[in-house]
């Protein structure tokens, strides 16, 4: 499994764009990059997933450079309700079976 | 559509007591997982299952046992609870394909006194 490194915490203000970068230097060819969001007292929730280049959905964008050794989750115009912990996961669950979380990034959005 | 349901939501145990946490999913997923989350920490994988009748150890399996007798259910057992097992436990399920998402339950808050 590829080890991931992401900032422990980040602060932002409402309306700003937030970019959270995750490093995964030993990513394997079959690994996908997946981001989850967790609010206090709730289970994690899937945000976005990608393999290469850029992926966008109604919640976020995921930027993956050509070497795939890092990825950046971009949250446009954050609000107070985006305050949560964001986890970057890298792996190939299809062959490995497990799903390993790191420590995540605690994002605090201020008014 | 219930998704992933965990039972119970809260429980207080005395040291040495045993209990079983139940996870049920109605999405016909092959894979199921049990995690624990301690205050201010990330999720740590206890055990997981890639199909009915199979289980495997995760990152922190000691003190726990699991069973997957039916595809839709994944049971987590504590044979002799210890205060160090005080935590919030999350169950999840997913399809086997790597490019799919996992779905999580709402958690079970367990306190061992």
């Amino acid at each position: 499994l590829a080890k991931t490194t992401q900032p422990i915490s980040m602060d932002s203000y409402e309306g700003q764009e937030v970019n959270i970068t995750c490093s995964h230097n030993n990513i394997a060819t079959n690994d996908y990059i997946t981001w989850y969001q967790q609010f206090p007292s709730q289970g994690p929730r899937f945000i976005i997933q990608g393999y290469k280049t850029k992926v966008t959905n109604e919640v976020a964008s995921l930027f993956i450079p050509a070497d795939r050794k890092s990825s950046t989750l971009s949250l446009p115009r954050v609000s107070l309700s985006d305050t949560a912990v964001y986890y970057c996961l890298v792996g190939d669950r299809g062959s490995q079976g497990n799903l390993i979380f790191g420590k995540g990034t605690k994002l605090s959005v201020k008014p | 559509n219930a998704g992933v349901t965990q039972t119970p939501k809260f429980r207080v145990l005395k040291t040495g007591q045993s209990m079983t946490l139940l996870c049920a999913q109605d999405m016909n997923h092959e894979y199921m997982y049990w995690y624990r989350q301690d205050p201010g920490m990330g999720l740590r994988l206890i055990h997981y299952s890639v199909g009915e009748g199979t289980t495997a150890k995760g990152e922190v399996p000691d003190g726990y046992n699991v069973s997957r007798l039916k595809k839709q259910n994944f049971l987590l057992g504590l044979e002799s609870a210890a205060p160090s097992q005080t935590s919030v436990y999350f169950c999840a399920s997913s399809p086997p394909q790597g490019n799919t998402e996992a779905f999580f339950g709402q958690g079970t808050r367990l306190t061992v006194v």
Side-chain angles (χ1 to χ4, degrees):
Chain A
L1 290 173
K3 181 180 177 180
T4 59
T5 302
Q6 48 183 127
I8 294 174
S9 63
M10 294 181 68
D11 292 332
S12 181
Y13 291 94
E14 282 190 294
Q16 288 186 332
E17 178 184 74
V18 171
N19 295 310
I20 305 174
T21 297
C22 179
S23 297
H24 28 82
N25 291 322
N26 59 339
I27 188 170
T29 302
N30 294 330
D31 287 347
Y32 287 88
I33 300 162
T34 311
W35 286 80
Y36 285 82
Q37 175 191 56
Q38 186 181 27
F39 297 114
S41 301
Q42 294 186 24
R45 182 184 72 162
F46 173 89
I47 302 177
I48 196 166
Q49 182 183 72
Y51 183 79
K52 60 181 179 181
T53 63
K54 176 184 174 182
V55 180
T56 298
N57 61 24
E58 65 278 6
V59 176
S61 294
L62 179 59
F63 299 92
I64 305 169
D67 65 7
R68 304 205 321 129
K69 293 184 182 299
S70 68
S71 58
T72 299
L73 174 72
S74 181
L75 304 172
R77 297 180 296 282
V78 295
S79 64
L80 296 176
S81 62
D82 292 315
T83 293
V85 179
Y86 293 83
Y87 296 95
C88 166
L89 280 71
V90 174
D92 176 18
R93 193 172 68 247
S95 63
Q96 296 157 359
N98 51 14
L99 187 63
I100 301 295
F101 283 74
K103 292 180 169 55
T105 298
K106 184 174 182 179
L107 173 65
S108 298
V109 180
K110 303 175 182 178
Chain B
N1 190 350
V4 178
T5 303
Q6 293 183 227
T7 308
K9 291 184 171 49
F10 303 93
R11 184 72 184 269
V12 178
L13 282 180
K14 293 182 178 179
T15 299
Q17 286 185 319
S18 63
M19 79 163 294
T20 300
L21 281 67
L22 171 63
C23 177
Q25 53 98 1
D26 61 4
M27 296 170 282
N28 202 35
H29 286 165
E30 290 293 331
Y31 291 8
M32 296 188 74
Y33 317 83
W34 273 110
Y35 296 88
R36 63 175 290 173
Q37 186 171 37
D38 300 319
M41 304 287 287
L43 285 83
R44 291 185 291 172
L45 183 64
I46 305 172
H47 286 280
Y48 64 98
S49 168
V50 298
E52 181 178 320
T54 72
T55 62
K57 294 181 179 180
E59 303 170 282
V60 289
D62 294 343
Y64 305 95
N65 57 74
V66 288
S67 65
R68 183 99 182 268
L69 299 179
K70 294 183 179 180
K71 186 177 183 179
Q72 64 268 32
N73 296 337
F74 195 27
L75 279 62
L76 178 70
L78 287 73
E79 290 187 348
S80 179
S84 60
Q85 294 178 303
T86 293
S87 189
V88 179
Y89 292 84
F90 288 101
C91 175
S93 72
S94 76
Q97 295 82 5
N99 61 344
T100 56
E101 64 179 279
F103 294 82
F104 284 79
Q106 287 303 299
T108 295
R109 187 173 296 274
L110 175 66
T111 302
V112 183
V113 297

